């Protein structure tokens, strides 16, 4: 029985996450959340304590569903340039293929809640830092192997690439045109330099 409740709560958080992406924190009413999750307001309050509690759970789920796979991809790669390109292409394809222009929950939370909720800030920082650290490790290894130029530090490159990824999500919510997003992605990827020619 406990297992069934656990599954239902996971599904409820997934549904709430989509509501928050579509409407933002302020725009999402408890009625919206109850309808989307299929749970009454009383059940949501009992499970999460408050709307804030459900929002924080949605941020945690967003990290699991979107950030964690990126980190795994970066950790599993050996060719820094190819793996990072694959990540950028995957993000662009995700944005362009959505069709609903749903905002990135990280970006939305940054604009709407980070200024006055340290719990949100902690989650956003943890999520973005996990991606940045995985990028840093891959880039540093790539520099040691001669795959990536050393004229910029791996730390600066990783920070810039995370900023670029989030920027793509912002612009994708405005205009999810794949070709335009890929042109921007190519500019960001140019910071990795030209592929060394074989000798």
């Amino acid at each position: 029985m406990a297992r069934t409740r656990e599954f239902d709560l996971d599904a409820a958080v997934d549904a709430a996450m989509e509501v928050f992406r579509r409407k933002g924190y302020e725009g999402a009413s408890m009625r919206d959340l109850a309808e989307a999750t299929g749970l009454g307001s009383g059940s949501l309050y009992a499970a999460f304590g408050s709307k804030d509690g459900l929002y924080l759970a949605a941020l945690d789920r967003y990290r699991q569903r979107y950030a964690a796979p990126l980190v795994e991809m970066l950790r599993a790669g050996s060719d820094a340039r190819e793996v990072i390109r694959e990540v950028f292409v995957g993000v662009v394809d995700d944005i362009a293929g959505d069709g609903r222009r749903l905002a990135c929950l990280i970006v939305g939370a940054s604009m709407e809640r980070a200024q006055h909720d340290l719990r949100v800030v902690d989650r956003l920082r943890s999520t973005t830092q996990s991606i940045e650290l995985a990028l840093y490790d891959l880039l540093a290894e790539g520099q040691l192997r001669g795959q990536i130029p050393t004229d910029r530090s791996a730390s600066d490159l990783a920070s810039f690439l995370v900023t670029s990824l989030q920027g793509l999500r912002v612009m994708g919510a405005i205009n999810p045109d794949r070709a335009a997003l890929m042109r921007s992605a190519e500019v960001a990827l140019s910071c990795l330099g030209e592929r060394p020619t074989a000798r």
Side-chain angles (χ1 to χ4, degrees), residues 166-192:
Q166 293 306 110
L168 286 172
R169 292 197 178 278
V170 172
M171 297 310 296
I174 299 170
N175 178 27
D177 178 78
R178 188 183 188 282
L181 293 171
M182 275 307 305
R183 287 194 294 271
S184 295
E186 291 293 349
V187 174
L189 290 167
S190 69
C191 77
L192 302 178

Side-chain angles (χ1 to χ4, degrees), residues 78 80 84 132-150 152-155 157-158 192:
S78 58
I84 293 171
E132 188 171 331
L133 180 58
L135 277 166
Y136 169 80
D137 289 343
L138 183 61
L139 288 163
E141 182 66 24
Q143 288 180 331
L144 287 174
R145 295 181 177 185
Q147 299 170 345
I148 304 295
T150 57
R152 294 184 178 88
S153 72
S155 176
L157 288 172
L192 302 178

